Amino acid sequence: MNDRRNREDELTKAHEEAEIANRTKTKFLTNMSHEPRSPLTGILGYSEVMQEGTFGPIGNEKYEGYVDNIRISGLHLQ
């Protein structure tokens, strides 16, 4: 009877530890998915403004290609 009770206690403890680990993992993943989004929004916004020439042309074709690559890469990360 004591062995059974010990196993039940161990299972209960393991279950509680698993729940804590799961909550910790969920919190970590939530934070990690949010962290890059804030700067990514700015990168996408500025690259769109530059692509569209909102404030005038970029002035160099090579830079236009860079802006396209920045925007495409940012969209891929979204």
Side-chain angles (χ1 to χ4, degrees):
M1 193 68 159
N2 246 356
D3 286 341
R4 183 176 177 201
R5 182 67 186 152
N6 287 341
R7 282 193 304 260
E8 287 175 358
D9 289 345
E10 288 174 6
L11 285 173
T12 300
K13 183 178 179 185
H15 181 73
E16 289 170 355
E17 289 173 354
E19 285 181 352
I20 290 169
N22 190 44
R23 284 193 298 271
T24 302
K25 177 194 71 168
T26 300
K27 185 176 179 182
F28 172 78
L29 291 175
T30 299
N31 288 337
M32 288 307 294
S33 69
H34 179 266
E35 289 300 316
R37 289 180 194 253
S38 296
L40 185 58
T41 300
I43 291 167
L44 290 173
Y46 283 117
S47 64
E48 183 178 350
V49 166
M50 293 168 74
Q51 259 185 335
E52 293 176 356
T54 303
F55 300 110
I58 292 175
N60 186 317
E61 287 183 28
K62 194 168 192 173
Y63 291 144
E64 289 176 11
Y66 290 164
V67 169
D68 291 341
N69 289 337
I70 291 167
R71 182 130 175 90
I72 289 167
S73 296
L75 289 170
H76 178 72
L77 292 173
Q78 206 174 26

